[in-house]
């Protein structure tokens, strides 16, 4: 009898790990290489999740492995506050050059995306002397209390955790299928300023240039232009949450580059260090320097192993042309999905810049979101050897976040698996 190690591990996980830690797939990774993962039972999967846009450069890219190994031979931790190290300075210098911004830039390092968001808000509040923060419905900014408060979705992120942080407000995010656009968002902002809080009390507006967990809705250029003008008029800091969108995922190094609008502060993590825990905030130097020594940072922030990995990531993106690769892969995937619309009327939309693509499923008659269908696509694809993720406020969106380094033959292998899974979930013929 063949032992099912995944089943055994799932039982052990249930007995040992909090139920609050969600699980997309009952698959336990044993090893991974570029765009492939092998589970505890030896089954191979094509990875279209990349650890939620973390391994943009693929699993175990040789340059990242070499950089971390070299750093491991020197030291693993001394703490950035105690005895810092040169490679942190090197990474900050590079981020200060490539992150969209106006004027001299500076950076600070942390460990998680939520920490980056929290510290961006701290910096904005300190610089402006104000408390209010505006975020967008459907946005996701982390699971800390400020992160939860900024996040525009109650379940599962806020439910049961009590009162959120004060002076956090939400306005609608433009979502084409819901009939909202940039005008809706700006009307919401004007109403907020008239009915809830005056703009002179707002420290920052935070936005994901493309919503991640919220369903891969891209902020229209007109909205970002309007936000920039509004922020400039009222002395408000514009924060770009590029945690999921950064590092070539959208066909640009940062998604804000598509609009030509610069934020005052940019929060980043995920793809920054190719699988090592690292986050950062880069922003205008006068904002970054407004706070005193010791007010931001953290014991593990800017870990030297993660810094070494990040420097390798930036080299890989440039040398291997991953921005261009993301655009090419995304166009190919979108074309395949759009070609299915005649067979699958439940496909309501295919969207997303670069290789940050999503497909949304809705009832073709009522327009009701089909969360169960998205889940069926995800589960069916897994059974066929392809790992996918769902997202969206209604759970009716499948998102595609494969490594940008995925070999062409693996991408081509994944396409019929994806198509068969969608057809099966819609009741179509997938033989």
């Amino acid at each position: 009898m063949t032992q099912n190690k995944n089943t055994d591990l799932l039982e052990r996980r249930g007995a040992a790990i909090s139920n609050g830690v969600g699980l997309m797939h009952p698959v336990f990774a044993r090893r991974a290489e570029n765009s492939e993962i092998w589970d505890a039972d030896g089954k191979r999967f094509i990875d279209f999740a990349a650890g939620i846009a973390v391994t943009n450069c693929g699993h175990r890219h040789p340059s990242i492995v070499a950089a971390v190994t070299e750093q491991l031979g020197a030291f693993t931790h001394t703490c950035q506050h105690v005895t810092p190290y040169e490679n942190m300075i090197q990474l900050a210098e590079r981020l200060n050059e490539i992150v969209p911004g106006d004027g001299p830039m500076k950076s600070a390092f942390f460990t998680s995306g939520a920490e980056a968001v929290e510290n961006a808000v701290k910096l904005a509040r300190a610089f402006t002397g104000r408390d209010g923060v505006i975020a967008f419905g459907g946005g996701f900014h982390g699971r800390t209390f400020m992160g939860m408060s900024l996040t525009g979705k109650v379940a599962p992120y806020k439910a049961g955790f009590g009162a959120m942080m004060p002076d956090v407000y939400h306005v609608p995010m433009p979502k084409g299928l819901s009939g909202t656009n940039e005008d809706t968002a700006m009307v919401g902002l004007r109403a907020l300023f008239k009915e809830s809080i005056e703009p002179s009390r707002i420290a920052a507006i935070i936005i994901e240039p493309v919503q991640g967990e919220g369903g891969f809705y891209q902020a229209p250029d007109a909205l970002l232009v309007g936000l920039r003008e509004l922020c400039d008029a009222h002395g408000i800091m514009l924060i770009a949450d590029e945690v999921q969108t950064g590092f070539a995922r959208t066909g640009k190094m940062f998604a804000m580059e598509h609009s030509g609008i610069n934020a005052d502060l940019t929060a980043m993590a995920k793809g920054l260090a190719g699988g090592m825990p690292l986050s950062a905030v880069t922003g205008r130097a006068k904002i970054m320097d407004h706070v005193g020594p010791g007010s931001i940072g953290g014991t593990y922030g800017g870990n030297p192993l993660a810094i070494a990995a990040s420097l390798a990531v930036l080299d890989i993106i440039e040398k291997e042309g991953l921005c261009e690769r993301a655009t090419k892969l995304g166009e190919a995937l979108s074309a395949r999905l759009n070609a299915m619309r005649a067979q699958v009327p439940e496909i309501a939309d295919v969207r997303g810049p670069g290789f940050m693509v999503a497909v949304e499923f809705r009832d073709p008659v009522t327009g009701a979101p089909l969360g169960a269908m998205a889940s069926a696509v995800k589960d069916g694809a897994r059974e066929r050897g392809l790992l996918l993720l769902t997202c969206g406020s209604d759970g009716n969106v499948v998102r595609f976040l494969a490594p940008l380094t995925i070999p062409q033959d693996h991408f081509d292998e994944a396409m019929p698996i994806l198509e068969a899974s969608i057809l099966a979930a819609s009741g179509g013929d997938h033989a």
Side-chain angles (χ1 to χ4, degrees):
M1 180 181 294
T2 301
Q3 182 182 12
N4 191 325
K5 295 181 180 177
N6 278 312
T7 299
D8 294 342
L9 290 170
L10 191 62
E11 292 177 357
R12 289 173 58 191
R13 180 185 186 275
I17 294 176
S18 168
N19 186 59
V21 181
L23 180 64
M24 273 280 188
H25 294 288
V27 169
F28 290 80
R30 181 59 56 88
R31 67 184 180 93
E33 195 78 24
N34 200 349
S35 59
E36 298 171 287
I37 293 177
W38 288 264
D39 73 4
D41 293 317
K43 182 176 180 178
R44 169 187 174 265
F45 297 88
I46 301 172
D47 182 15
F48 264 49
I52 315 183
V54 169
T55 56
N56 289 353
C57 297
H59 297 284
R60 299 185 66 252
H61 191 290
S63 295
I64 296 175
V65 172
V68 173
T69 301
E70 181 180 359
Q71 180 58 47
L72 189 63
F75 58 90
T76 62
H77 175 80
T78 63
C79 185
Q80 61 176 330
H81 301 292
V82 181
T83 54
Y85 23 91
E86 184 179 2
N87 66 350
M88 175 183 284
I89 300 171
Q90 292 173 329
L91 182 57
E93 289 170 340
R94 293 184 70 173
L95 291 178
N96 295 342
E97 286 293 323
I98 65 175
V99 173
D102 298 312
M105 307 284 279
K106 285 195 174 184
S107 296
F109 295 105
F110 311 97
T111 307
S112 68
E115 283 181 86
V117 167
E118 293 255 347
N119 280 278
V121 171
K122 285 170 61 176
L123 289 160
R125 282 180 162 178
F127 184 74
T128 62
R130 305 171 182 179
D131 296 327
V133 185
I134 298 172
F136 285 81
F140 179 80
H141 301 286
R143 294 179 177 87
T144 57
F145 261 98
M146 178 55 78
M148 282 192 299
S149 302
L150 294 169
T151 291
K153 185 179 180 181
V154 173
Y157 306 118
K158 300 183 182 184
F161 292 114
M164 295 293 106
M165 296 291 289
D167 269 348
V168 174
Y169 305 86
H170 290 86
V171 294
M173 178 69 175
K175 299 177 181 180
L177 292 179
S178 67
T180 57
N181 56 24
E182 59 271 17
D183 293 334
T184 310
M186 296 307 292
V187 167
L189 281 166
R190 287 193 290 271
L192 188 68
F193 291 155
K194 187 175 182 179
E195 300 167 1
S196 299
I197 184 170
E198 64 270 34
S200 61
R201 285 186 51 215
I202 298 296
I205 298 175
I206 185 168
I207 187 169
E208 298 167 277
V210 184
Q211 285 194 338
E213 299 295 321
F216 282 28
Y217 292 101
Q218 185 171 7
D221 290 351
L223 173 60
L224 295 175
V225 169
L227 292 180
R228 182 70 273 172
E229 292 174 349
L230 184 148
C231 287
D232 290 341
H234 296 288
I236 298 169
M237 300 296 99
L238 181 60
I239 301 174
D241 181 341
E242 293 254 18
V243 170
Q244 192 164 154
T245 55
F247 303 98
R249 174 54 57 183
T250 68
K252 301 283 188 181
M253 186 65 82
F254 295 95
M256 288 294 284
E257 294 179 63
H258 289 282
S259 68
I261 297 301
N262 295 337
D264 298 295
L265 296 160
T266 297
M268 65 202 87
K270 291 191 183 290
L272 171 61
M276 298 294 286
L278 182 67
S279 66
V281 175
T282 299
R284 291 193 286 135
K286 64 180 181 179
I287 303 171
M288 300 295 294
D289 282 345
H290 190 76
V291 295
S295 59
I296 60 174
T299 300
Y300 290 110
N303 173 271
L305 298 173
I307 293 284
S310 184
L311 287 167
V313 163
L314 296 183
D315 289 341
I316 293 164
I317 291 172
E318 181 179 353
K319 291 177 181 177
E320 299 188 16
L322 294 190
C323 288
E324 295 78 10
R325 177 73 172 152
T327 299
K328 180 179 178 181
L329 290 167
E331 289 174 348
L333 174 57
S334 295
R336 295 291 288 257
L337 290 167
N338 280 314
M340 296 191 71
R341 298 180 82 157
Q343 291 176 277
V344 185
E346 296 94 341
I347 294 179
D349 194 22
V350 176
R351 59 177 176 267
F355 205 20
M356 192 172 179
V357 174
V359 58
E360 181 166 350
F361 299 105
R362 289 181 176 267
D363 187 290
V365 177
T366 67
L370 297 176
M373 181 172 176
S375 293
V377 172
K378 171 180 68 72
D379 294 341
R382 180 182 68 246
E383 293 304 312
R384 295 174 175 86
L386 176 64
L387 296 177
L388 302 175
L389 299 172
T390 57
C391 64
S393 297
D394 296 300
N396 65 321
V397 179
V398 174
R399 53 179 159 166
F400 304 94
L401 292 168
L404 307 179
T405 52
I406 183 172
Q408 189 63 44
D409 59 339
H410 291 171
F411 179 85
D412 293 341
E413 180 185 354
M415 290 301 98
I417 297 174
L418 173 61
E419 291 165 348
S421 302
I422 293 174
L423 286 168
S426 71
D429 180 10
H430 58 283

